[in-house]
Amino acid sequence: MKCSGCVERVQSVLGRLDGVQSVADLEAKTATVRYDADRTSPDAILDAIEKAGYSPTHS
């Protein structure tokens, strides 16, 4: 992510996902996402980021 607008967009997208509890480290071009595995999954999180126009990777 190259600008604060990108950071805000990803935070907003992930914040709307059921089960996402927090998002951190976006300005370092990474996202650490805490989530409830009973309510969402890594694939759903990655899909939401892709739909927002970004190319996420899972680590």
Side-chain angles (χ1 to χ4, degrees), residues 4-50:
S4 62
C6 296
V7 170
E8 290 175 17
R9 181 174 172 134
V10 171
Q11 285 177 325
S12 175
V13 166
L14 293 180
R16 290 191 300 257
L17 281 179
D18 185 39
V20 171
Q21 299 166 344
S22 67
V23 181
D25 299 327
L26 290 173
E27 292 185 28
K29 296 186 180 182
T30 64
T32 301
V33 181
R34 291 185 53 153
Y35 65 95
D36 180 341
D38 291 332
R39 296 168 55 197
T40 195
S41 69
D43 288 338
I45 293 167
L46 293 173
D47 186 52
I49 295 170
E50 286 177 356

